[in-house]
Amino acid sequence: MTTVYVPRDSAARSVGADEVALAVLAEAELRGADVTLVRNGSRGMLWLEPLVEVATPQGRVAYGPVRADDVASLFDAGLLEGGAHALALGPTESHEWLARQNRLAFARVGVVDPLSTDDFLAHGGLAGLRAALAMPPADVVEAVVGSGLRGRGGAGFPTGIKWRTVAEADGPLKFVCCNADEGDSGTFADRMLLEGDPFALLEGMAVAAHAVGATEGYVYVRSEYPDAVATLRSAVELARAAGWLGEDVLCSGLTFDIEVRVGAGAYICGEETSMLESIEGRRGTVRPKPPIPALSGLFGRPTVVNNVLSFASVPAVLTGGPASYAALGTGRSRGTQVFQLAGNVARGGIVETEFGLTLRELVEGYGGGTASGRPVRAVQVGGPLGAYHPADGLDVRLDYEELASVGGMLGHGGVVVFDDTADMGAQARFAMEFCAVESCGKCTPCRVGAVRGVEVIDAILHGPSEERAGQAALLEDLCELMADGSLCAMGGLTPQPVRSVLRHFGEDLGLTPVASRDGT
Amino acid sequence: MSGQEWSAETVAGIVREHAHLRGPLLPVLHAVQERIGWIPPDAVPVIAHELNLSRADVHGVVTFYADFRTEPPGRTVVGVCRGEACQSRGGRDLEAHAQDALGVPFGGTTQDGEVTLDQVFCLGNCALPPSVTVDGRLHGRVDAATFDRLLAEAR
């Protein structure tokens, strides 16, 4: 019997993985070959999807990108023995894209059957939770503090400090909430983890529950990710049946269960207080802070709110110890970051590596430059609210502080590449348009400012040229107001891409670049 | 999946199935839309009554979220991703082509009631852009010709 892997990840399916899986089964039957098909997650080499792997005595061997009509020739070439073929990529783990990475959160993604509890355990699953349950809760909190782990959702707040606040808060009922409303364009790591290793998230959340004394958990997943929702729901049921969730988790006395909630198409619900409103059944409008959710969160109770990748990073902190996690990275950015390389890039996908590599290493090294073969013009880092970095600014190191120093942000780790055909004036306008569509409407700078932003950019682009400089000054003023006056990151950060266009690509707005101007 | 006739009893039953949840309104609205295909205005007072909310509260939530439909959608629902990653690979041209090909703006349904065209802000397929969904099924690397083929298959 031979095991063949064809991903079930929705990116792989979007370019034909289901058809390939059917073709593999049909071809095996035709030839009387004894094949077990496993629908794994994706290895994150998305330009090679659908990536087919076969288990050989020498390890797994990869082929890609495979189309359904390649399958017969693959069998002819001895696919099941790892035979040579034009699409052969050699041993999967030795592929230079993977070999250079340091995968902790993504260690099992693409490797295991996402819904096999046996696979999960065989690849180190639950080791972090078992270690945590053997420790007093306060020690677990201090381990996470000591690891230097910062929230991977965007704001970069120290995870352990947040947990400590919840742990020290009084209350008979506390919650652990996972924010899986990954709405930034260019980000897909949460989706891939939910589809490729959902038990990792559940394990991290259970660790948090033990650490802070929570009994109920919610995962808020965006509705744009139906495959992730389905996989996660199945994983929760399997975990309950295995005694990993529910009453007396792993016979430790911990009671903790998780409910999966689905969003309804509102970007703002990725903001933590909007997400809490949404789970409570209301419009996803932002809550002013304070009170912080750690003290008064879901239904007014102390609540841990973390991102998918933050929770998924926690088991490694406990198994390897906080010191070994903190030893990775650079400056105050510790551990590994899951970068998502996207847009107009030759080799797009997941790069999990310790903090410290440069944007150029990511875009030109891993990514191989643009998919179109044209020069890179701009790279947006951190989603629709992140800055556009110019081609000569790619030597910036990807850590929280260094990106902030050049007027950018890491956000959720999404990196979107544009070639020299990009119209950066249109991109600046889009940033404001997006904010106008997705603003929750609670505060005036965001609600009205975004609409005004579109109007002002239109006046710059299409109005009388003698008024252009004045309109640009107005736009700067508006950006300052939105940044300073908005309640949350939606209005507060929308100026970031706009200002980066003013600063580096002013010619696309009919302006001279203002790179010499103070600030960002 | 959808298309069940709307009745107050159906909606009240759906609410009761979810009454044990904390903050059940979004799951209720999803379930109503899944069974009926949309959220009829007449369902709002029923939901409000069953959950002891005001009609304004429920209406406010229905209209806040892009997913909830207050009109029946077409037989096929197409979503075009408008995120920056898709824009970087011809997404803006695809947005224009989709609206031209169907003759409706985003949010519109073709006159024959066959196809509803939605804009979506990120489908999470950013390394294989541009992306489109057809009845919830994700497709990557979609150009105008692929779009037309997908549409022809769906119709």
Side-chain angles (χ1 to χ4, degrees):
Chain A
M1 189 212 43
T2 309
T3 304
V4 176
Y5 297 84
V6 180
R8 54 181 283 161
D9 177 276
S10 51
R13 295 179 64 216
S14 84
V15 288
D18 286 351
E19 292 74 9
V20 170
L22 288 173
V24 167
L25 287 175
E27 200 64 34
E29 184 166 340
L30 195 70
R31 296 172 190 239
D34 188 9
V35 163
T36 301
L37 185 73
V38 172
R39 300 301 300 271
N40 54 335
S42 169
R43 295 277 191 164
M45 300 188 283
L46 293 174
W47 80 99
L48 293 173
E49 292 290 1
L51 183 88
V52 174
E53 289 177 86
V54 59
T56 74
Q58 291 77 42
R60 279 158 72 161
V61 174
Y63 298 83
V66 176
R67 293 175 310 168
D69 50 14
D70 294 322
V71 170
S73 77
L74 280 165
F75 272 79
D76 287 343
L79 170 75
L80 301 182
E81 294 79 43
H85 187 277
L87 298 176
L89 299 164
T92 318
E93 309 276 351
S94 312
H95 192 286
E96 57 152 355
W97 173 276
L98 284 176
R100 282 191 284 163
Q101 300 190 30
N102 184 6
R103 290 194 167 186
L104 297 178
F106 263 64
R108 279 181 297 265
V109 176
V111 177
V112 299
D113 175 345
L115 292 175
S116 162
T117 50
D118 289 342
D119 250 12
F120 182 67
L121 293 174
H123 289 83
L126 294 191
L129 178 58
R130 288 187 205 280
L133 292 173
M135 295 157 70
D139 291 1
V140 177
V141 170
E142 291 317 309
V144 177
V145 173
S147 73
L149 177 66
R150 292 167 70 174
R152 298 297 192 245
F157 189 83
T159 302
I161 305 293
K162 196 183 275 185
W163 288 20
R164 189 191 280 157
T165 309
V166 179
E168 291 173 354
D170 284 332
L173 178 62
K174 297 178 185 176
F175 296 103
V176 173
C177 267
C178 175
N179 188 340
D181 193 356
E182 173 185 66
D184 287 354
S185 171
T187 63
F188 44 86
D190 291 358
R191 180 189 62 66
M192 288 186 61
L193 190 116
L194 291 171
E195 293 184 20
D197 189 18
F199 295 129
L201 169 64
L202 306 184
E203 181 180 2
M205 290 177 72
V207 171
H210 171 62
V212 306
T215 50
E216 296 183 30
Y218 288 85
V219 187
Y220 185 88
V221 191
R222 60 201 303 260
S223 61
E224 291 84 349
Y225 289 178
D227 290 9
V229 170
T231 304
L232 184 61
R233 285 200 160 133
S234 300
V236 168
E237 279 176 30
L238 290 165
R240 246 181 233 143
W244 304 350
L245 288 176
E247 289 177 21
D248 202 15
V249 169
L250 297 175
C251 306
S252 68
L254 172 70
T255 293
F256 180 63
D257 209 342
I258 288 173
E259 186 189 323
V260 178
R261 277 296 168 94
V262 181
Y267 175 79
I268 194 60
C269 291
E271 198 283 332
E272 63 175 345
T273 61
S274 294
M275 180 194 73
L276 297 173
E277 289 286 310
S278 188
I279 298 175
E280 291 179 15
R282 285 192 288 272
R283 297 164 72 94
T285 52
V286 174
R287 293 180 188 169
K289 290 190 270 191
I292 54 171
L295 296 174
S296 178
L298 192 60
F299 300 102
R301 308 289 184 161
T303 304
V304 169
V305 182
N306 281 138
N307 172 262
V308 174
L309 297 179
S310 313
F311 284 121
S313 298
V314 162
V317 166
L318 288 153
T319 48
S324 71
Y325 193 83
L328 303 171
T330 176
R332 289 200 285 128
S333 301
R334 313 311 312 175
T336 61
Q337 169 68 30
V338 181
F339 297 101
Q340 300 125 81
L341 194 46
N344 192 340
V345 66
R347 297 194 297 259
I350 291 287
V351 177
E352 182 177 2
T353 176
E354 53 191 279
F355 284 101
L357 85 168
T358 66
L359 188 51
R360 188 179 305 282
E361 285 166 341
L362 199 58
V363 171
E364 294 178 358
Y366 281 95
T370 63
S372 59
R374 302 182 64 92
V376 172
R377 175 115 194 267
V379 181
Q380 187 176 32
V381 180
L385 312 181
Y388 287 97
H389 299 260
D392 63 6
L394 299 187
D395 292 312
V396 63
R397 229 183 24 229
L398 294 165
D399 73 46
Y400 294 103
E401 278 71 31
E402 189 158 329
L403 280 166
S405 76
V406 297
M409 66 170 187
L410 183 60
H412 192 329
V415 173
V416 178
V417 181
F418 291 77
D419 72 11
D420 63 349
T421 62
D423 177 347
M424 300 309 294
Q427 296 309 123
R429 185 187 190 280
F430 178 79
M432 287 291 187
E433 184 192 353
F434 179 70
C435 184
V437 172
E438 294 291 356
S439 172
C440 83
K442 180 102 169 177
C443 71
T444 316
C446 175
R447 183 186 65 244
V448 179
V451 176
R452 283 293 291 136
V454 173
E455 292 167 0
V456 176
I457 293 174
D458 280 343
I460 295 173
L461 289 170
H462 309 298
S465 58
E466 63 273 18
E467 290 176 17
R468 202 175 281 149
Q471 295 289 353
L474 190 61
L475 183 60
E476 289 273 9
D477 199 43
L478 180 65
C479 284
E480 187 179 333
L481 178 102
M482 289 175 72
D484 293 348
S486 298
L487 260 181
C488 81
M490 177 92 227
L493 292 176
T494 290
Q496 203 162 248
V498 178
R499 285 171 150 171
S500 68
V501 170
L502 280 167
R503 190 175 186 188
H504 302 294
F505 307 98
E507 65 273 24
D508 285 20
L509 290 162
L511 304 164
T512 23
V514 288
S516 57
R517 199 173 295 181
D518 284 347
T520 55
Chain B
M1 141 188 144
S2 64
Q4 191 174 330
E5 278 300 303
W6 125 262
S7 77
E9 294 72 42
T10 309
V11 171
I14 291 171
V15 177
R16 284 183 211 119
E17 285 167 32
H18 295 84
H20 63 287
L21 300 175
R22 295 185 192 271
L25 184 52
L26 258 68
V28 163
L29 293 175
H30 275 304
V32 168
Q33 183 153 300
E34 191 171 308
R35 294 218 208 141
I36 297 168
W38 59 301
I39 298 175
D42 291 342
V44 169
V46 180
I47 295 167
H49 175 77
E50 292 288 330
L51 292 178
N52 198 22
L53 296 167
S54 75
R55 278 186 281 171
D57 283 334
V58 177
H59 176 77
V61 170
V62 169
T63 51
F64 180 84
Y65 294 97
D67 284 1
F68 299 134
R69 301 180 187 284
T70 52
E71 289 173 4
R75 200 176 51 81
T76 295
V77 177
V78 175
V80 177
C81 184
R82 295 192 61 206
E84 284 88 342
C86 287
Q87 291 170 18
S88 77
R89 288 290 276 157
R92 286 170 185 265
D93 291 341
L94 186 64
E95 290 171 27
H97 174 79
Q99 295 175 83
D100 286 350
L102 290 167
V104 292
F106 284 126
T109 299
T110 54
Q111 273 196 329
D112 59 7
E114 282 289 296
V115 183
T116 294
L117 180 66
D118 286 338
Q119 62 176 353
V120 186
F121 289 99
C122 198
L123 292 163
N125 197 30
C126 318
L128 298 169
S131 295
V132 161
T133 56
V134 179
D135 290 330
R137 175 73 198 268
L138 180 64
H139 300 273
R141 287 184 181 140
V142 177
D143 58 14
T146 320
F147 183 87
D148 293 344
R149 179 175 57 76
L150 291 171
L151 206 63
E153 286 169 7
R155 274 187 185 235

